[in-house]
Amino acid sequence: MKDILDKLEQRREEARLGGGKARIAAQHKRGKLTARERIELLLDKGSFEEFDMFVEHRSNEFGMEKSKIPGDGVVTGWGTINGRTVYLFSKDFTVFGGSLSETHAQKIIKVQDMAMKARAPIIGLFDAGGARIQEGVAALGGYGEVFKRNVIASGVIPQISIIMGPCAGGDVYSPAMTDFIFMVRDTSYMFVTGPDVVKTVTNEVVTAEELGGASVHTAKSGVADGSFENDVECLLQMRRLIDFLPANNESGVPEWPTQDDIDREDHSLDTLIPDNPNKPYDIKELILKVADEGDFFEVSTAYARNIVTGFGRIAGATVGFVANQPMVLAGVLDIDASRKAARFVRFCDAFNIPIVTFVDVPGFLPGTNQEYGALIKHGAKLLFAYSQATVPLVTVITRKAFGGAYDVMASKHIGGDINYAWPTAQIAVMGAKGAVEIIFRGRSAEEIAAQTRQYEDRFLSPFVAAERGYIDDVIMPHATRKRIARALAMLKNKHVEMPARKHDNLPV
Ligand code: HXC
């Protein structure tokens, strides 16, 4: 009997070693943890239950029958994060570069299916070179099955991808269909084809970092939603993110105990808006002062910094914050900002997370760059996303709300439930200078100056909109947290149904 038990332990030990000690050492030398070490850090201590530790590939091509490694390059199972169930798979780069075989795919599919049945989030840790080349179409088929499940699970359970090594092919396309992608700086890369293939096909010489490093995907392409210094920081931050997320689209948002009084007033907000309307200020200050304990998990920090998106809590419950950032491009809406915010709004709406929107926007960015890049379509994405949202929408206009951007940023007209403005708000078709120059073209400088003053007095205030009921109330900046908390409490059971249809046709 003892022999049998020892044999199990021996087989487990063998599987835990993955590609062997030398490859584990190489992994560490590159500053990366192993697939199992990562799981240990991500999950609550001792909570991991592994599946399919003894699964091996079945390929006989290219001498593969001689090299079989238990687990076949991916560690799968479930565990808890601060007591809440999550499913996961963690690619093991020490085994055939983490590449995906038919059986490796079956392991991932199993946890995808289980996560869907249990309606719990799934997290993929990627450090892998895509389809296992030796397996050919069997590997491609495996990816197809994974992709299909990514799509079926979209909007039902949160799916998070963490890129922790060089990733190519299917190991970037599957993440691309999940809700969030996070990367580790300097050790992770994402590309459809690596630098060698790029050189062969296009003759372009490019490093892995230049082609698909964290700096590229978090700031330029917007493919990734954030990056972290190393594996440890990244995994700890993912635990923090999971604390904000609902388990599924029907569970409601998680609620955590909070010491932060919902009636807390912050008088420093009364002077947040500078006297000069063209002077910037940091909208993140407002978010931090409104959110419980100033705890804010920002998403896509480095991309389209003219709009801020992320999760916080009010009265212990998760909310999504969307805010124009006057510090960057005066908070203008451009292609990137529209895409970024649209995706965030749609995530929140899919998972029933109320959205708090802070508005200070001078309009859409003019110019050929933007128009040729399809600003119309991309701007429409954000308009569509807000118009389609049925979650509680609370909006506060702090300063400018000009033109179409006023409509887009969760205005009353497209579904805002509670729309507040600070006394400093300016709600108009455009700023005074532009407006007067159009209406009074060709008039004398004195007349222009007089008309400008008149325009400023009449239109650059919240009261024209408030007189029409487009703004529910003009509120004191210091009372913003309290007013939002009360609005959200009032809207807790909001229920709105859209007409039945197969699906909408978002301008993609
Ligand atoms: C089999 C692979 C592999 C793969 C890596 N390895 N990728 N084995 N299939 N796809 C193996 C290597 O042979 C090597 O084995 C070990 O993993 C480590 O790889 P290295 O190349 O030494 O590591 P590194 O220099 O860090 O480069 C990592 C890499 C590179 C950037 C991922 O290996 C690479 O470019 N791999 C191929 C990527 C690719 O084109 N995949 C197919 C994509 S098609 P040894 O034994 O030597 O240590 C795809 C289709 C899906 O995925 C459908 C999409 C829509």
Side-chain angles (χ1 to χ4, degrees):
M1 180 65 180
K2 172 119 189 0
D3 276 4
I4 297 176
L5 301 187
D6 285 348
K7 204 164 171 200
L8 169 64
E9 206 33 65
Q10 193 190 329
R11 285 195 67 165
R12 282 183 171 169
E13 212 37 58
E14 212 180 298
R16 284 191 198 109
L17 269 183
K21 288 190 174 137
R23 283 178 202 259
I24 291 176
Q27 180 85 349
H28 286 158
K29 210 167 155 209
R30 289 176 165 196
K32 301 194 293 180
L33 297 175
T34 65
R36 283 196 165 72
E37 287 165 344
R38 288 167 175 162
I39 292 173
E40 287 296 308
L41 276 169
L42 180 62
L43 297 180
D44 295 339
K45 208 169 166 37
S47 72
F48 181 50
E49 292 260 354
E50 185 170 349
F51 302 135
D52 299 335
M53 190 182 215
F54 307 114
V55 164
E56 294 175 344
H57 72 74
R58 299 193 199 106
S59 169
N60 295 319
E61 307 288 345
F62 303 99
M64 285 297 280
E65 68 281 2
K66 291 191 219 93
S67 55
K68 296 200 173 193
I69 297 176
D72 202 37
V74 63
V75 183
T76 60
W78 71 277
T80 58
I81 293 181
N82 286 323
R84 299 169 69 227
T85 300
V86 296
Y87 287 79
L88 57 79
F89 55 92
S90 179
K91 302 261 184 167
D92 185 349
F93 191 77
T94 69
V95 179
F96 312 117
S99 60
L100 179 137
S101 68
E102 188 178 9
T103 53
H104 174 130
Q106 282 161 358
K107 287 182 65 172
I108 295 176
I109 290 165
K110 187 192 267 188
V111 280
Q112 286 182 303
D113 289 344
M114 292 181 91
M116 272 297 275
K117 257 193 244 167
R119 292 291 197 263
I122 184 162
I123 305 172
L125 290 77
F126 290 84
D127 187 357
R132 190 167 304 160
I133 295 162
Q134 297 89 333
E135 292 219 2
V137 72
L140 297 181
Y143 261 127
E145 302 272 343
V146 172
F147 297 152
K148 180 79 181 169
R149 282 165 177 77
N150 284 137
V151 174
I152 291 171
S154 183
V156 181
I157 52 173
Q159 302 180 82
I160 298 170
S161 302
I162 318 177
I163 311 297
M164 311 190 83
C167 293
D171 287 310
V172 298
Y173 270 114
S174 173
M177 285 189 294
T178 62
D179 297 302
F180 297 107
I181 299 178
F182 291 93
M183 298 180 75
V184 179
R185 290 196 275 276
D186 303 324
T187 49
S188 78
Y189 311 101
M190 296 179 79
F191 23 69
V192 176
T193 51
D196 295 344
V197 179
V198 172
K199 168 93 177 61
T200 311
V201 178
T202 69
N203 220 12
E204 188 185 357
V205 178
V206 66
T207 64
E209 181 63 36
E210 287 163 350
L211 186 63
S215 56
V216 169
H217 289 309
T218 56
K220 278 198 185 122
S221 72
V223 164
D225 299 289
S227 66
F228 301 99
E229 206 50 47
N230 52 47
D231 284 15
V232 178
E233 193 202 349
C234 181
L235 294 163
L236 296 180
Q237 287 299 323
M238 291 302 103
R239 288 179 58 87
R240 206 178 137 225
L241 172 62
I242 284 287
D243 284 351
F244 283 103
L245 303 185
N248 59 63
N249 61 333
E250 289 174 336
S251 64
V253 295
E255 291 188 30
W256 297 94
T258 173
Q259 305 297 321
D260 203 348
D261 186 358
I262 54 160
D263 288 332
R264 173 172 57 78
E265 295 186 342
D266 195 320
H267 286 269
S268 67
L269 291 176
D270 293 343
T271 51
L272 181 66
I273 305 295
D275 290 337
N276 177 348
N278 296 321
K279 219 174 142 196
Y281 63 94
D282 189 356
I283 200 71
K284 283 191 208 172
E285 193 179 326
L286 174 57
I287 297 174
L288 295 177
K289 285 178 173 165
V290 162
D292 286 357
E293 279 117 19
D295 190 12
F296 178 53
F297 188 99
E298 192 172 348
V299 172
S300 301
T301 315
Y303 181 74
R305 292 183 303 112
N306 38 332
I307 202 155
V308 178
T309 52
F311 301 106
R313 295 186 189 88
I314 290 186
T318 305
V319 298
F321 284 103
V322 179
N324 308 114
Q325 171 59 288
M327 299 278 279
V328 181
L329 297 171
V332 76
L333 280 180
D334 58 1
I335 291 171
D336 293 353
S338 303
R339 279 182 51 209
K340 167 176 161 178
R343 185 149 170 83
F344 185 76
V345 166
R346 280 169 66 82
F347 176 83
C348 290
D349 188 50
F351 289 98
N352 289 313
I353 300 172
I355 300 169
V356 174
T357 304
F358 293 137
V359 184
D360 187 347
V361 62
F364 279 98
L365 184 62
T368 48
N369 257 348
Q370 292 289 309
E371 297 291 353
Y372 295 175
L375 175 65
I376 296 170
K377 268 267 160 92
H378 295 292
K381 283 178 186 163
L382 182 55
L383 179 54
F384 202 105
Y386 267 126
S387 303
Q388 181 187 45
T390 57
V391 287
L393 296 178
V394 178
T395 305
V396 181
I397 301 175
T398 58
R399 190 169 59 177
K400 295 170 196 164
F402 290 166
Y406 154 75
D407 273 328
V408 170
M409 294 300 296
S411 67
K412 193 61 124 191
H413 322 284
I414 63 166
D417 294 299
I418 292 294
N419 293 69
Y420 290 136
W422 284 5
T424 43
Q426 308 176 348
I427 305 168
V429 174
M430 60 178 74
K433 191 167 177 288
V436 172
E437 275 172 8
I438 291 171
I439 314 175
F440 301 99
R441 185 171 292 151
R443 306 287 177 86
S444 70
E446 296 77 49
E447 196 172 344
I448 294 269
Q451 292 295 348
T452 302
R453 272 193 303 279
Q454 202 184 332
Y455 184 93
E456 281 169 355
D457 289 347
R458 176 69 186 131
F459 292 115
L460 296 190
S461 87
F463 294 105
V464 180
E467 283 160 16
R468 287 188 150 66
Y470 299 164
I471 292 296
D472 297 295
D473 198 3
V474 181
I475 64 169
M476 286 293 186
H478 64 251
T480 304
R481 170 177 160 83
K482 186 162 99 179
R483 301 297 294 263
I484 293 174
R486 283 182 59 81
L488 290 171
M490 179 268 287
L491 291 164
K492 203 170 167 60
N493 297 321
K494 177 182 174 186
H495 184 82
V496 171
E497 272 174 30
M498 294 299 228
R501 57 186 146 187
K502 187 168 178 197
H503 57 71
D504 56 59
N505 191 10
L506 176 84
V508 288

